[in-house]
Amino acid sequence: MPVPAPSPVRRSLPTPVLALLVFGAALALYHAGMAPGLLWGDSAEMQILAGIGGVAHPTGYPLFILVGLAFTHLTGLAPATAANLVSGVFAAATLALLVTFLIRRGVSAPAAVGGAVAWGLSFTFWSTAQRAEVYSLATFVAVGALWCTLLALEHGRPMMRLLAGFLLGLTLTAHMSFGPAVMVAGLTLAWSVPRTRARWFTDETLLLLAFIVGLSPYLYLLDRKSTRLNSSH
């Protein structure tokens, strides 16, 4: 009786390589359609602040301004172009992070990439990835905070819990619309801290401090509150 030939072994790409490919492809796609220069409304405000710093309209969006300033100085690009690039880079990074997250949660690589493609080509995600908007950066930080929160809840590692607390605070400096999700995740983290007398109080205090450190970009607004753009929204 003939022995059936063994089925070929399918070798999938390592997750970091796959994530890097998703990042590169998404960034190239967003860059191809990126706004070429100065825009209007909120986007124009963020482009200007990426060059001179200052305080945006409420809630100030300090994280985007600080990252925009860094992009402007490090790349040497015009502030308008650098601010647009911030959105494209972090939109692509969000998709790469999503692929990594899904695969680590047990989703197959093709399904993870398919989900990233569907999200990346959706109207809102696509449009805000090609102009200076706070949403791509905020989503990137929020997805990272969600992942760290899940890992902290599942494994109970103190350092992961502190990192999650920090990222939850940082998420609020990117966009306050994540407030309800941050509140639920933060309270869940606090409730999950093992109740071992004095150690419990120490761990809860450290978690709170990590969250407060995540909010530290708001200190920039206090320093620059006199530089407020007058614009209509």
Side-chain angles (χ1 to χ4, degrees), residues 135-210:
Y135 304 109
S136 298
L137 175 59
T139 304
F140 174 77
V141 179
V143 172
L146 170 64
W147 191 358
C148 289
T149 299
L150 288 175
L151 290 176
L153 292 174
E154 290 172 348
H155 303 292
R157 296 172 183 169
M159 290 305 299
M160 186 59 67
R161 185 165 56 241
L162 295 180
L163 178 59
F166 169 77
L167 290 176
L168 289 173
L170 196 65
T171 299
L172 295 182
T173 71
H175 205 289
M176 280 290 184
S177 64
F178 289 102
V182 167
M183 180 181 67
V184 172
L187 290 175
T188 304
L189 277 176
W191 184 260
S192 69
V193 173
R195 292 167 177 76
T196 53
R197 299 182 181 179
R199 183 64 185 176
W200 170 80
F201 179 78
T202 301
D203 287 345
E204 294 285 13
T205 302
L206 290 175
L207 178 60
L208 178 60
L209 288 175

Side-chain angles (χ1 to χ4, degrees), residues 207-229:
L207 178 60
L208 178 60
L209 288 175
F211 178 77
I212 292 173
V213 172
L215 295 173
S216 61
Y218 275 112
L219 295 175
Y220 170 79
L221 301 185
L222 298 177
D223 179 61
R224 298 302 302 271
K225 62 183 179 180
S226 60
T227 310
R228 171 70 186 276
L229 294 184

Side-chain angles (χ1 to χ4, degrees), residues 55-66:
V55 182
H57 61 281
T59 57
Y61 306 104
L63 186 60
F64 185 93
I65 295 171
L66 292 172

Side-chain angles (χ1 to χ4, degrees), residues 9-120:
V9 177
R10 295 183 178 179
R11 297 182 180 274
S12 58
L13 290 173
T15 301
V17 175
L18 186 59
L20 186 60
L21 290 175
V22 169
F23 173 81
L27 182 58
L29 191 62
Y30 294 142
H31 187 269
M34 195 167 290
L38 190 63
L39 296 166
W40 57 88
D42 290 353
S43 293
E45 181 185 32
M46 294 302 171
Q47 289 173 323
I48 295 170
L49 291 175
I52 65 173
V55 182
H57 61 281
T59 57
Y61 306 104
L63 186 60
F64 185 93
I65 295 171
L66 292 172
V67 173
L69 287 168
F71 265 60
T72 298
H73 292 298
L74 292 175
T75 63
L77 297 171
T81 304
N84 292 339
L85 186 61
V86 169
S87 292
V89 166
F90 281 98
T94 299
L95 297 180
L97 184 62
L98 176 68
V99 168
T100 306
F101 170 76
L102 291 177
I103 291 176
R104 296 292 169 83
R105 302 304 296 181
V107 177
S108 67
V113 173
V117 169
W119 192 20

